[in-house]
Amino acid sequence: MAFSVQLMPFSSTAPPRCPALRRRRPPPSHRRNQTGIVCTAERRELFNRIALVYDNLNDLLSLGQHRIWKKMCVSWSGVKKGDIVLDMCCGSGDLAFLLSQKVGPNGKVSALDFSRNQLFIASTRQDLFWKACYENIKWIEGDALNLPFEDGYFNAITVGYGLRNLIDRRKALHEIFRVLKPGSKVSILDFNKSTSSLTTLCQGWALDNVVVPAANVYGLSEEYKYLKSSIAEFLTGGELEKLAREVGFSDARHYEVAAGLMGNLVATR
Ligand SMILES: C/C(=C\Cc1cc(O)c2ccccc2c1O)CCC[C@H](C)CCC[C@H](C)CCCC(C)C
Ligand SMILES: C[S@@+](CC[C@H](N)C(=O)[O-])C[C@H]1O[C@@H](n2cnc3c(N)ncnc32)[C@H](O)[C@@H]1O
């Protein structure tokens, strides 16, 4: 069923409702972290603004490789036919569509995001690239930090490039733990905050000299500059494994992908 929603204004010059979102210098009282984007509403507006070009820029800037990384993420989740699964921070639906094909017509995919524009793109893609199995996807506008699902509900969960964007990662992992069935896995794909200075240098160079200039063509350089600072503020693979175990996961392994540019955490409840 198509997700029915009115598009939020795409234009980055549209006067945002929330004062915090105005591009002008924030009031001194408004604390900002290194990424400069500290509150949930600001992050939601960022993803609303980039929704129209998000998929195309990902394909272009990763030379299509991100689709391979996402297939690996889904495979690591242990998803199988008939499962009830969650794609948290689903965005335009890449992982949700992969999960849909894995669980088949008897399975169920809940795809949750708090960006209406991202969900609108996902729903549009569902109609555009229609497959019978896609009828098993439900698009849900919601907050990853307060999941609208009962305890122990899912057989598997994926999070593609979502955890790094959440303002409370520990709470997010607690929510994931809560809604997972015992023995089930969460598979979390994201940029890797590498412990190798050479990898960090290469990653930073690509972001500064390829990604941001490309985004600038669409007037979105500020939104893509956020990538580098958000990675710098993220957790290393070892720190992600430690956090997952502290939250209560029985096992947690972080696998580096794409020569350490990306990483995937697999945690078992
Ligand atoms: C799918 C990818 C990124 C998704 C993504 C995640 C975010 O948190 C964002 C935040 C703000 C704006 C955009 C995003 C966003 O797109 C990864 C691939 C796409 C990247 C934009 C390109 C990354 C380039 C790598 C550093 C180098 C890739 C080398 C490759 C092997 C050719
Ligand atoms: C980089 S996109 C990833 C989209 C998709 N998973 C993929 O792999 O391409 C991050 C997504 O997380 C969503 N997001 C960020 N914080 C969120 C939150 N607190 N609750 C729900 N969604 C959130 C954004 O709206 C955005 O669609």
Side-chain angles (χ1 to χ4, degrees):
M1 179 192 73
F3 182 88
S4 57
V5 72
Q6 287 302 318
L7 266 189
M8 310 287 280
F10 276 107
S11 153
S12 54
T13 55
R17 284 165 301 151
C18 158
L21 300 179
R22 291 208 178 93
R23 287 278 184 98
R24 286 190 293 279
R25 182 175 299 282
S29 60
H30 198 94
R31 180 182 58 77
R32 289 180 175 276
N33 61 9
Q34 187 182 356
T35 69
I37 298 185
V38 69
C39 76
T40 299
E42 283 187 309
R43 295 206 172 165
R44 182 171 55 240
E45 290 312 306
L46 181 150
F47 289 105
N48 276 330
R49 288 196 299 271
I50 69 172
L52 262 186
V53 299
Y54 176 76
D55 290 316
N56 291 339
L57 276 181
N58 284 343
D59 281 324
L60 172 70
L61 295 167
S62 72
L63 305 179
Q65 297 296 295
H66 75 106
R67 297 193 180 282
I68 295 170
W69 308 330
K70 289 173 179 176
K71 283 178 181 170
M72 293 166 73
C73 176
V74 166
S75 179
W76 269 316
S77 75
V79 62
K80 59 192 182 302
K81 278 249 175 287
D83 275 355
I84 298 173
V85 300
L86 168 66
D87 181 25
M88 191 175 92
C89 302
C90 66
S92 56
D94 280 349
L95 287 162
F97 293 125
L98 292 172
L99 289 168
S100 167
Q101 296 173 73
K102 287 281 188 185
V103 300
N106 299 323
K108 273 179 28 182
V109 180
S110 296
L112 176 135
D113 203 292
F114 70 178
S115 163
R116 282 195 175 183
N117 291 356
Q118 292 281 349
L119 288 170
F120 180 83
I121 298 291
S123 174
T124 306
R125 294 171 80 202
Q126 181 184 28
D127 297 340
L128 210 59
F129 312 119
W130 187 86
K131 286 185 178 173
C133 64
Y134 289 170
E135 295 305 306
N136 62 13
I137 302 174
K138 185 177 178 191
W139 307 106
I140 299 160
E141 184 179 352
D143 188 346
L145 301 183
N146 186 17
L147 294 174
F149 307 106
E150 61 193 53
D151 296 5
Y153 187 69
F154 293 107
N155 300 106
I157 296 176
T158 57
V159 190
Y161 298 96
L163 188 66
R164 172 176 41 85
N165 292 302
L166 299 176
I167 55 175
D168 187 339
R169 292 144 190 168
R170 183 181 294 271
K171 180 150 181 19
L173 284 175
H174 271 294
E175 275 293 86
I176 290 168
F177 185 87
R178 177 180 68 81
V179 299
L180 263 179
K181 291 181 188 297
S184 296
K185 295 181 192 302
V186 59
S187 181
I188 301 172
L189 169 65
D190 219 310
F191 283 92
N192 180 36
K193 181 180 182 179
S194 180
T195 52
S196 153
S197 47
L198 177 61
T199 305
T200 304
L201 203 65
C202 294
Q203 188 186 62
W205 187 90
L207 291 169
D208 289 342
N209 297 284
V210 180
V211 172
V212 171
N216 191 43
V217 170
Y218 300 93
L220 293 168
S221 54
E222 287 310 309
E223 286 77 2
Y224 279 75
K225 276 179 188 168
Y226 159 77
L227 266 173
K228 187 177 179 185
S229 52
S230 69
I231 297 165
E233 278 220 324
F234 198 31
L235 300 171
T236 64
E239 289 166 339
L240 286 168
E241 289 175 342
K242 180 171 179 290
L243 178 60
R245 290 197 187 96
E246 285 171 358
V247 164
F249 286 93
S250 59
D251 185 45
R253 308 288 171 86
H254 183 264
Y255 302 99
E256 293 198 350
V257 177
L261 294 170
M262 306 290 158
N264 201 107
L265 175 72
V266 183
T268 308
R269 191 193 192 292

